[in-house]
Amino acid sequence: MTLRVGLVAETGPEGEAAVAWLATLGEVQARRYEAGHLEAAVKESDLVWVHGAVRPARLPADAVRGFVAQGGGLLLTLQAAALVGPLAIETVPPNDCRDLVWSHRADEWWSEETPALPARRHLRGLATYGPHPLVDGLHNGADCWAPAEGEPYAWACYSGGAWPADGRVVAVERGWRVQNPERVVAWEYGIGRGRVLCLGAFAYLAARDARLRPRLERLLGNALRAAAGAAEPRPWWPSPGTAATASDALALPEPLDFEGPLPLPGEEALLGAGPAEADAPFDLAGRRAVLVGDETCGLRELWCHPHRAVASWVVRADREAMQGVQVEVTPDVVVRTVQTGQRRLLEVAFVALEHPVAVVEYRPGRKRRESVGRGPADFEIELVMDLRRPWPFAAGCGGNLVYRSRDDGRVAVVASESDDGVVALFLSRTAAVEMTPVAGNAPAVRCRVRAPLGTPLLLAVAGGASQADLQRTLRGVRRLGVSGLVRQRAQRASVLAEARLDVRSGDDAFDRAFGWAKRRLDGFLGDVPGVGRSLLAGHGAARAGGEGRPGAMRLAGPDACWAAFALLATGEFSTPRQVIRFLGDRQDVTGQVVHEATTSGQFTFEGTEATLLFLMLVARYLAWSGDRDFVASVWPHVDRALAFCAAQGGDADGLIGGEGGPGSPDAAGGGGPTLYLAALWHAALRGLARAADVVGQGRLAADCWARAARVTAAVEGRFYDQAHGGYARALGRDGADWTRSAADAVAVLLGATNPVRAKLSLEALGGQAFETAWGVRSVAADGPPSARGADVVRPLTTGWAALAEYHAGLGEPAFRHLSANAAAGRARQRGAYDEALDALEGRPAGGSPDFAASAAMVVLPFVEGLLGAEPDGPASRLTLAPMLPAAWPRLEVRGVRCADSAYDLRLRRGDSVLAIETRRTQGPGLAITLAPWLEGVPKAVEVDGREVRPEVTAWGQGVRCAVALERAEEHEVRFVVK
């Protein structure tokens, strides 16, 4: 259906740009009207769009309101948004109306010290509270204006906390990773059957810098459709909350049945136990909830996506705060022994797998030989519940809170008045519950639970994105009961242990580290209402200072891809498939893949790294799984992402640019080509070429191969320099950057550089400039002081180094780096892997204490490095090129999965023989090539006692000795080396 749009705009650049843009819209029949002809416009149009500084001598207010009431649409943009006052639509018109010239120095958000790269420093846009039609395809907001120095601009907004009195707030101002709820830039009104939509800022079609033009055009197209739509309910920004009050009108659910025991740590193979350590964190994660705490201080926060259900958690006995003295940590349960001077209790914490529910049990313990003192303990739990949305949303953004509890204390509820979040507390028996508001600028409720602890007390905390969401959760919990919730987690643990890759090397510490990494990776799968289901970058408590940033608890782009690579290597295909679907479905209008999405629903698109890794992940998923149908279903996303990447940089030689965030490997180029990006681009093209052949895209495959060849030539021709004896880190406007970086290993592990030329770079990673006891420095210690991360060790980059070394046949330094990553799981949080470590002391250096990409770099270098797995699922082929470390005389690997098949492997090394046994355990037989690293050419090779002639090639300081097994079943291959 064609939409008749009447554009009312003054003569000038903005008016002319609006006319030109409307002419490009096929579904729109547009006509321009002069400012004095507004009444004619409402008579001849379905939608009237008033754009810019329109100041008619007479405003036909009655005619305009009558037009809207009868179902017409009115869109007011830029200064025209101020017309809501003269048109008698709004009693409190916008209070921030300006017509100025932009100055970067006068930007109220930024200073020279602000850690943002120039191309993003001053971006402006808008953020909605949810999926409003205005941001359809823009993921709850978008940057749409990149102001230029000296550029005229004008707007009509509400600032300083002022809001429209009669309208609903649609969007507030946002910039690069910043949100300003003090400035309302979009709002709307429902009048009769029609709607008035105001977009008071940043809709500059004549802007000098047009790089955000695709987002702006999508925004304005949405605005036309949203203003012309019916006046149905839509998500709006609630009025900011400052208070919490008791309410007898708040509905209380019935108590829960707590039948069934919580799991015991002794039943779990992965167990970290010992004295509680000061400030050592722990976390328990499900798909919808994450419980975080410290070993000594105890539980701290419970996040039930997308809100913080509990902001603090304090336990007391006889009015004295209890401290942890012993702890047992498993992936599914944490048990703490807590005590005071006179009392000792046991705390058992558990989080459901698929529901936003945490269950915690307190029971009497013993102190020395005595029981818990004379009589039951006077036990108290104090919870603070604030229903805070994570950063960048401000505290109290969901509005005021209301609360209520049952007389017997079995149930207590805190909810936002806007129905943006609710949390319910359930107790297993009668207790005294006192609920009071917390003093401060943001609403929060303190809930004190007091009960004698002669018998165990259980409490469950259930969260919901809304009351309806909570009711769905409670129906599921009542159906399953505590025993059912425990059973769900046990069944998932069984799948991960028995149906996913498992390692038995004889090195118990490494085997446990691998098991922990595998379980941690599975635990990062998060399900956030209104945002999606994908891998979170990490887990951790919120930062001090009230920002509401819970560790790295964000749905990531790059970090999720690296974690998904590792999950594929374990034989887990479902979670990477969900990551691909999430990233593909939430592409930007340009085809760019999201860099990160907060669990509060703010999406950030930056650089090309995430898009390149997405393309690599699609290709790698196909290689491991052989799932042609799924890859074909997401191919439109692949086409858009590939087009976006190809459009970046514009180099004739095929290199692309992309400005990364501070500390990212591609940040060094300042938007220009970097070796890291070139390597990702090269790998993405080669992987997509193979995938395109599989899904019947032969012409695209040929194009990808040709592009990859140009990238290869450019890497060797532009990045390599004989005088420096290596490859440049980046090619900037002022020349090449020769800072030595561990990220250079990515080019080696992805095969983007000449292996002979890259030899010096790899050898340097094991030298003093990079090597530490806990891994590889991100940047060489002798690099320039300005280099980011010079004194930081990241398990991610250490894993890159190990993978590159394995790729080059340097097995022992690679194993040393892999072992350093494995040991990191015992350094601070039991069974978890820090995001970054101080290079000098090994202590945490900021970031998340439980980071997905760090856990991935225990798994990936083992499977694709030490084991040398090279899958080709569509062709039913698998190559294994193991490099058994000198410290391991044997290795057993169960559940190596490729396509629909799985194998168990056993490697044994004696004085003169390396024996490799294969046994098919699932699916049809694969064509398997066994190509281990050997010190020299073997004297003989036997397959099931029959001598064969292998294919021998040089590999590092030894040889790669390959033997092919067609439709492999159960075989023994013996390499006789002496």
Side-chain angles (χ1 to χ4, degrees):
M1 178 179 172
T2 300
L3 180 67
R4 296 180 304 158
V5 176
L7 172 66
V8 180
E10 295 283 5
T11 302
E14 269 302 322
E16 301 309 316
V19 171
W21 174 67
L22 283 172
T24 67
L25 303 182
E27 74 277 13
V28 167
Q29 177 184 336
R31 180 177 177 182
R32 183 174 184 177
Y33 295 85
E34 297 298 327
H37 297 163
L38 181 57
E39 191 165 2
V42 299
K43 292 179 179 178
E44 300 169 355
S45 308
D46 302 317
L47 171 87
V48 174
W49 177 18
V50 187
H51 184 56
V54 175
R55 300 180 179 86
R58 185 182 67 85
L59 275 175
D62 292 340
V64 171
R65 290 198 309 277
F67 162 73
V68 175
Q70 294 302 312
L74 179 63
L75 175 62
L76 306 175
T77 53
L78 302 181
Q79 304 100 304
L83 295 178
V84 291
L87 287 171
I89 296 171
E90 172 63 62
T91 55
V92 180
N95 67 339
D96 183 2
C97 300
R98 60 178 69 180
D99 190 348
L100 301 171
V101 173
W102 180 267
S103 167
H104 288 331
R105 284 192 169 275
D107 188 343
E108 59 197 316
W109 280 359
W110 297 105
S111 67
E112 294 300 323
E113 291 75 32
T114 303
L117 294 172
R120 286 196 299 272
R121 185 166 290 162
H122 304 288
L123 298 187
R124 287 297 197 277
L126 51 84
T128 60
Y129 206 71
H132 191 278
L134 179 63
V135 289
D136 178 51
L138 294 172
H139 315 297
N140 299 340
D143 300 323
C144 54
W145 181 44
E149 185 71 29
E151 179 179 16
Y153 74 99
W155 69 44
C157 302
Y158 290 89
S159 293
W163 279 38
D166 305 301
R168 297 278 195 170
V169 173
V170 173
V172 301
E173 182 182 28
R174 72 169 252 179
W176 183 69
R177 300 190 175 190
V178 184
Q179 205 178 82
N180 179 18
E182 294 291 303
R183 180 167 290 133
V184 173
V185 298
W187 62 100
E188 66 183 346
Y189 308 85
I191 301 177
R193 294 188 289 111
R195 182 175 299 276
V196 178
L197 176 60
C198 301
L199 182 56
F202 315 135
Y204 306 118
L205 284 162
R208 294 177 186 173
D209 188 335
R211 64 193 146 106
L212 299 177
R213 181 64 180 253
R215 295 176 186 170
L216 175 59
E217 290 184 354
R218 180 60 179 259
L219 180 72
L220 287 173
N222 289 342
L224 294 175
R225 289 184 287 273
E232 77 284 355
R234 299 172 176 180
W236 296 297
W237 276 81
S239 299
T242 58
T245 55
S247 172
D248 291 336
L250 183 61
L252 292 174
E254 291 298 311
L256 287 180
D257 182 355
F258 285 87
E259 291 299 320
L262 293 177
L264 297 175
E267 300 170 359
E268 170 63 67
L270 297 174
L271 171 63
E277 299 182 11
D279 300 324
F282 64 82
D283 64 73
L284 290 167
R287 310 312 188 205
R288 285 287 310 274
V290 180
L291 181 64
V292 297
D294 295 329
E295 291 184 1
T296 53
C297 297
L299 301 175
R300 291 182 57 184
E301 296 177 341
L302 173 65
W303 292 84
C304 293
H305 306 313
H307 300 96
R308 180 168 62 188
V310 178
S312 73
W313 193 306
V314 179
V315 177
R316 300 184 182 92
D318 304 323
R319 307 294 178 92
E320 184 179 349
M322 308 196 78
Q323 296 289 309
V325 292
Q326 294 285 330
V327 66
E328 296 174 282
V329 178
T330 78
D332 292 341
V333 65
V334 173
V335 176
R336 296 170 61 244
T337 301
V338 297
Q339 70 178 32
T340 65
Q342 299 297 322
R343 301 283 187 178
R344 175 169 285 189
L345 308 176
L346 210 61
E347 175 189 79
V348 183
F350 170 84
V351 170
L353 180 65
E354 292 288 350
H355 300 282
V357 175
V359 182
V360 183
E361 178 182 0
Y362 293 94
R363 64 177 73 159
R366 289 183 177 275
K367 186 172 176 64
R368 301 182 183 92
R369 295 184 178 181
E370 300 177 358
S371 184
V372 289
R374 296 179 179 177
D378 182 7
F379 182 63
E380 179 181 306
I381 306 170
E382 181 181 301
L383 307 179
V384 173
M385 295 175 277
D386 62 353
L387 291 174
R388 195 201 200 289
R389 275 196 176 202
W391 172 92
F393 287 81
C397 66
N400 290 327
L401 300 180
V402 291
Y403 58 87
R404 185 186 177 192
S405 64
R406 276 174 51 123
D407 292 340
D408 62 3
R410 295 283 305 279
V411 181
V413 174
V414 177
S416 68
E417 289 183 328
S418 65
D419 197 26
D420 177 45
V422 57
V423 56
L425 172 67
F426 300 89
L427 299 178
S428 60
R429 54 184 171 85
T430 300
V433 173
E434 178 188 2
M435 304 182 77
T436 56
V438 177
N441 296 325
V445 177
R446 178 175 285 105
C447 180
R448 288 191 175 94
V449 177
R450 294 186 63 186
L453 199 64
T455 58
L457 174 69
L458 284 87
L459 69 153
V461 182
S466 63
Q467 288 284 358
D469 183 40
L470 176 65
Q471 293 307 314
R472 285 191 295 270
T473 293
L474 294 180
R475 286 195 294 271
V477 171
R478 294 184 198 282
R479 183 179 67 253
L480 291 167
V482 171
S483 59
L485 297 178
V486 171
R487 187 168 56 250
Q488 275 189 341
R489 289 208 73 122
Q491 289 170 345
R492 182 59 183 169
S494 177
V495 168
L496 293 173
E498 299 174 9
R500 301 295 180 263
L501 190 139
D502 186 46
V503 178
R504 301 186 182 185
S505 66
D507 181 343
D508 290 342
F510 182 89
D511 296 351
R512 288 168 57 80
F514 189 93
W516 267 109
K518 187 172 60 173
R519 292 285 292 276
R520 290 291 185 186
L521 284 170
D522 183 74
F524 289 114
L525 181 60
D527 191 350
V528 185
V531 181
R533 186 176 175 102
S534 185
L535 286 171
L536 296 163
H539 295 144
R543 295 181 180 181
E547 283 188 316
R549 300 187 69 167
M553 210 180 296
R554 57 183 185 269
L555 295 164
D559 297 318
C561 288
W562 285 111
F565 292 145
L567 285 165
L568 288 171
T570 69
E572 169 59 38
F573 300 159
S574 173
T575 299
R577 191 162 54 241
Q578 293 176 77
V579 173
I580 291 171
R581 185 67 77 184
F582 174 83
L583 296 177
D585 287 347
R586 288 154 185 80
Q587 283 173 283
D588 185 46
V589 293
T590 62
Q592 188 177 18
V593 167
V594 62
H595 184 80
E596 67 178 36
T598 67
T599 54
S600 55
Q602 176 125 348
F603 288 68
T604 301
F605 295 85
E606 57 187 43
T608 53
E609 180 189 16
T611 310
L612 292 169
L613 286 167
F614 166 76
L615 293 174
M616 289 171 57
L617 180 58
V618 172
R620 203 61 180 164
Y621 172 82
L622 181 61
W624 274 110
S625 71
D627 187 352
R628 295 174 173 85
D629 292 341
F630 174 76
V631 171
S633 74
V634 299
W635 203 259
H637 299 308
V638 171
D639 280 335
R640 295 178 62 221
L642 188 60
F644 168 80
C645 292
Q648 305 306 303
D651 274 274
D653 53 16
L655 296 178
I656 64 174
E659 197 175 51
S664 68
D666 56 323
T674 66
L675 185 61
Y676 174 75
L677 286 179
L680 298 187
W681 184 218
H682 177 265
L685 289 167
R686 290 171 62 87
L688 287 178
R690 299 185 188 97
D693 271 332
V694 172
V695 298
Q697 299 276 346
R699 182 174 297 179
L700 177 61
D703 179 64
C704 287
W705 283 121
R707 286 178 181 272
R710 288 200 300 273
V711 174
T712 299
V715 167
E716 299 302 322
R718 294 184 60 186
F719 283 92
Y720 183 77
D721 181 77
Q722 185 69 40
H724 285 87
Y727 294 86
R729 183 189 185 196
L731 304 177
R733 297 180 182 88
D734 300 325
D737 178 358
W738 294 99
T739 303
R740 293 187 297 165
S741 166
D744 297 346
V746 176
V748 181
L749 71 92
L750 296 178
T753 51
N754 182 304
V756 176
R757 288 179 167 181
K759 182 180 179 182
L760 289 177
S761 297
L762 285 183
E763 290 175 348
L765 294 178
Q768 292 183 350
F770 281 98
E771 188 85 352
T772 74
W774 21 85
V776 174
R777 282 183 168 91
S778 296
V779 177
D782 57 5
S786 59
R788 296 183 176 95
D791 292 321
V792 170
V793 168
R794 298 182 186 276
L796 175 61
T797 51
T798 300
W800 290 344
L803 280 164
E805 289 161 337
Y806 277 123
H807 182 86
L810 304 175
E812 289 307 309
F815 181 67
R816 186 169 67 249
H817 293 144
L818 169 58
S819 298
N821 271 358
R826 305 187 297 273
R828 178 165 67 140
Q829 179 169 344
R830 300 173 199 264
Y833 300 87
D834 266 293
E835 182 177 355
L837 302 171
D838 181 89
L840 299 178
E841 301 177 7
R843 55 179 171 76
S848 172
D850 187 7
F851 197 59
S854 298
M857 286 305 163
V858 177
V859 172
L860 201 59
F862 174 83
V863 179
E864 296 190 5
L866 188 151
L867 200 59
E870 300 170 16
D872 187 354
S876 298
R877 293 184 178 276
L878 175 65
T879 297
L880 297 168
M883 301 186 73
L884 199 62
W888 290 359
R890 60 182 177 84
L891 171 64
E892 185 178 350
V893 182
R894 298 181 179 180
V896 178
R897 185 180 175 197
C898 179
D900 296 325
S901 303
Y903 284 82
D904 291 346
L905 302 172
R906 182 178 295 170
L907 289 78
R908 292 177 290 110
R909 181 178 55 215
D911 292 339
S912 60
V913 175
L914 172 65
I916 304 178
E917 299 176 22
T918 67
R919 184 171 68 90
R920 181 172 60 87
T921 58
Q922 176 183 315
L926 299 176
I928 293 183
T929 298
L930 296 177
W933 179 92
L934 301 173
E935 290 184 359
V937 178
K939 294 180 63 177
V941 177
E942 300 173 354
V943 177
D944 300 329
R946 180 174 55 88
E947 189 168 341
V948 298
R949 177 174 292 181
E951 180 182 338
V952 180
T953 55
W955 192 14
Q957 300 300 313
V959 297
R960 175 177 171 135
C961 189
V963 175
L965 305 172
E966 294 298 328
R967 296 188 63 82
E969 298 287 341
E970 189 167 344
H971 303 283
E972 181 183 44
V973 182
R974 292 166 56 86
F975 299 86
V976 182
V977 296
K978 290 183 182 179

